[in-house]
Amino acid sequence: MRKLYLSRTDKRLTGLCGGIAAWLGTNSTLVRLATVILAMFSFGTVLLIYFLCSLVVPSEPHAPGFDPFYDYRYR
C-alpha cells in the first residue's frame, strides 16, 4: 500500500498535487489542471480542501543518506 506524501521535488505551491500525481502514477500537470478546473466550478470549496489537506498530509521523507544540514553547494 502506497502512502500519500507532499512532494519535495515536484511542487509549485505546497506539493500536494505533485504528491497526488505520484500516488496515482500520473502526470502532475493533469492533476494541477483538474484542481484548477474543479476550483472554478466549486465556488472555492476545493481550495479550502486543498489547503486543509496540505496541513494534514505529511511531507515526503528524505532519501537514505541525506543530511539536511550539509551544504551540498560547497562540495
Side-chain angles (χ1 to χ4, degrees), residues 4-21 32 50 54 57-58:
L4 176 63
Y5 292 112
L6 296 177
S7 177
R8 290 186 185 271
T9 56
D10 188 14
K11 66 193 247 179
R12 297 286 181 251
L13 197 62
T14 62
L16 183 64
C17 287
I20 291 172
R32 287 186 184 103
Y50 178 88
S54 296
V57 174

Side-chain angles (χ1 to χ4, degrees), residues 9-69:
T9 56
D10 188 14
K11 66 193 247 179
R12 297 286 181 251
L13 197 62
T14 62
L16 183 64
C17 287
I20 291 172
W23 185 62
L24 292 174
T26 185
N27 191 348
S28 62
T29 304
L30 295 175
V31 174
R32 287 186 184 103
L33 186 63
T35 303
V36 169
I37 291 171
L38 287 173
M40 286 192 286
F41 292 112
S42 70
F43 303 107
T45 305
V46 170
L47 291 176
L48 178 67
I49 293 170
Y50 178 88
F51 286 111
L52 288 175
C53 287
S54 296
L55 294 174
V56 173
V57 174
S59 294
E60 184 177 36
H62 290 289
F66 176 77
D67 184 8
F69 300 108

